[in-house]
Amino acid sequence: GESVGLHLPTLSVQEGDNSIINCAYSNSASDYFIWYKQESGKGPQFIIDIRSNMDKRQGQRVTVLLNKTVKHLSLQIAATQPGDSAVYFCAEKENYGQNFVFGPGTRLSVLP
Amino acid sequence: DTGVSQDPRHKITKRGQNVTFRCDPISEHNRLYWYRQTLGQGPEFLTYFQNEAQLEKSRLLSDRFSAERPKGSFSTLEIQRTEQGDSAMYLCASSLGDRGGDTIYFGEGSWLTVV
């Protein structure tokens, strides 16, 4: 069945360094992907999205890369700050579907 | 605040009791979703509405769970005869849907603890 997974459950980076969070997906029919940030005790917060007709999209300090050939998604955070510490989820959705499938998440810890 | 609003934020209940959660979506969003999230896991889809119609339900949504969106605006999720395994955060989300986008935006969640 369709599933979204992550290569690393935890990631620690030094403040100021760049962070890369990875996500693997298995459903080749997925055509829309979203990265969410979730802080402790709060709901997931939208960060950035990308559709399958693109391979890169940039936001403020964040970049999402999509490699459909190997079904891989990544989130790059530039100049990581303490406020970036959170759990990051990737989510995928099939075309014509409404069900977003989430992976288990990666916890990002920013070290001073 | 014009985001998705959920109430209550926290609920502690005894096993066997019924609980109800309310969700107010972002204004003009015609799609509304319920997800469940347990500690250390990603959100799991439960159900979604297009206006007042419940169009999809997950197999996770047992007979003890019922969701409604009677006027196509706010929604309620009721859990009857709660069990300890129901302890989780219940997340509501909404999207513009066919009005202009399928990006879903989440509320802050309702934490349920069944004791």
Side-chain angles (χ1 to χ4, degrees), chain B residues 33-79:
Chain B
Y33 308 77
W34 286 100
Y35 281 76
R36 181 173 70 187
Q37 185 178 25
T38 53
L39 282 175
Q41 301 295 318
E44 296 174 296
F45 172 80
L46 292 178
T47 188
Y48 97 94
F49 293 83
Q50 168 100 1
N51 299 312
E52 66 274 10
Q54 188 173 18
L55 296 185
E56 188 174 344
K57 292 196 289 187
S58 162
R59 286 169 289 182
L60 294 174
L61 211 65
S62 76
D63 292 344
R64 296 184 297 105
F65 288 68
S66 62
E68 295 183 342
R69 194 183 183 198
K71 297 182 180 179
S73 56
F74 73 92
S75 174
T76 58
L77 177 67
E78 181 183 20
I79 308 173

Side-chain angles (χ1 to χ4, degrees), chain A residues 32 36 38 43 51 98-99, chain B residues 31 33 37 102-104 108:
Chain A
Y32 182 48
Y36 288 92
Q38 188 173 29
R51 297 205 177 267
Q98 294 304 321
N99 176 8
Chain B
R31 287 190 185 148
Y33 308 77
Q37 185 178 25
D102 47 10
T103 305
I104 62 172
E108 296 288 47

Side-chain angles (χ1 to χ4, degrees), chain B residues 88-109:
Chain B
M89 181 161 68
Y90 291 85
L91 289 161
C92 179
S94 68
S95 73
L96 281 166
D98 54 11
R99 290 182 180 175
D102 47 10
T103 305
I104 62 172
Y105 297 92
F106 284 90
E108 296 288 47

Side-chain angles (χ1 to χ4, degrees), chain A residues 24-68:
Chain A
Y25 65 96
S26 60
N27 186 357
S28 56
S30 292
D31 72 337
Y32 182 48
F33 305 86
I34 302 178
W35 279 101
Y36 288 92
K37 172 187 180 183
Q38 188 173 29
E39 297 176 85
S40 181
K42 296 186 177 181
Q45 176 187 359
F46 173 89
I47 301 174
I48 192 168
D49 60 356
I50 190 167
R51 297 205 177 267
S52 59
N53 60 352
M54 303 173 70
D55 53 20
K56 181 178 180 179
R57 191 161 188 223
Q58 289 184 294
Q60 188 176 14
R61 282 202 308 120
V62 294
T63 300
V64 55
L65 299 177
L66 175 62
N67 186 330
K68 294 180 288 295

